[in-house]
Amino acid sequence: MSNLYTIQKRFDTIQSFANHEELLIHILQVYLDSFPLKDAYLLRYSPIGFVAEGIIFLNESGGSHIGEIREEIRSFPIIYSAIEDKKAKFCTGIDYLKNISIKYSIHSQNNSFLIVPIFIGQYVFGYICSTQMEEGTTITEKILEDLTTFGNIIGQLFIQARNGKKEVSLSKRELEVMRQVAIGESTKEIAGFMNLSELTITQYVKSAIKKLHAKNRSHAISILYQEGILL
């Protein structure tokens, strides 16, 4: 297992990656190289509805996109706990059965689950989870502490990568609307609050999503939190 200094050094050249996907693959590769784990699932997280959305999967055989995964994380106590506490968590055996619903999208022949929140400060905007460990591995408190630090390093890395890009600023109206979206208001509620039509609110949301190069509302809010625009 690599020490944290070595891990940090492997992220010193983030500007050399041609695109965002290359960076994500590199992050998961460092994760697998640094810890006794055999698979890695990267998911985006938004506080809107406590929703997690799959991004990419990697193991020793290759990788794939996992955009079909979309979960409300309050259904999974260990995930919710890790995000609330900003700490890596692990469960196995009976605890696994208590924490991971049978409907969970990630299928594994093992009965172990590890989650590492990706965060900066009090804000969590994603997580990495694993279901397969190297043979004979015991997940100790020290490993969990190092994984927590890894999650924080990745959080800072994402901020650096985003700050290196030229961002498009939202208009005052777009930002006002997205603030309301972030606290869970519906289109109808926002329209009533701002004394605008629902169609106008919908157009503001679509415009904000486009400017932020986001996939949907949840992704857009995640980006705004990452940039410190929403606190």
Side-chain angles (χ1 to χ4, degrees), residues 19-39:
N19 54 55
H20 189 60
E21 185 159 290
E22 280 192 10
L23 175 59
L24 298 182
I25 293 171
H26 180 67
I27 287 169
L28 294 188
Q29 191 62 65
V30 172
Y31 172 82
L32 293 175
D33 291 345
S34 304
F35 298 98
L37 306 165
K38 298 175 67 176
D39 62 356

Side-chain angles (χ1 to χ4, degrees), residues 1-127:
M1 187 173 73
S2 303
N3 61 45
L4 294 174
Y5 174 76
T6 302
I7 291 172
Q8 183 73 67
K9 292 297 291 182
R10 290 186 66 177
F11 293 126
D12 282 350
T13 56
I14 61 170
Q15 302 303 330
S16 66
F17 295 101
N19 54 55
H20 189 60
E21 185 159 290
E22 280 192 10
L23 175 59
L24 298 182
I25 293 171
H26 180 67
I27 287 169
L28 294 188
Q29 191 62 65
V30 172
Y31 172 82
L32 293 175
D33 291 345
S34 304
F35 298 98
L37 306 165
K38 298 175 67 176
D39 62 356
Y41 297 80
L42 177 63
L43 295 95
R44 175 189 307 116
Y45 171 72
S46 169
I48 301 177
F50 301 91
V51 173
E53 299 173 317
I55 303 175
I56 198 167
F57 162 80
L58 195 67
N59 65 11
E60 59 187 8
S61 300
S64 63
H65 294 284
I66 52 173
E68 72 279 3
I69 297 178
R70 192 174 193 277
E71 295 290 1
E72 207 270 47
I73 61 94
R74 287 177 295 185
S75 301
F76 310 102
I78 190 171
I79 300 177
Y80 184 68
S81 174
I83 287 176
E84 286 290 294
D85 297 341
K86 287 86 179 171
K87 291 182 179 179
K89 302 285 180 82
F90 174 73
C91 65
T92 190
I94 296 299
D95 285 338
Y96 173 86
L97 297 177
K98 293 177 181 177
N99 280 279
I100 303 299
S101 167
I102 194 171
K103 78 179 184 67
Y104 198 55
S105 302
I106 297 175
H107 299 290
S108 171
Q109 295 181 359
N110 296 340
N111 63 339
S112 298
F113 187 85
L114 174 75
I115 171 171
V116 182
I118 298 171
F119 68 100
I120 186 165
Q122 293 301 305
Y123 183 64
V124 177
F125 47 88
Y127 59 85

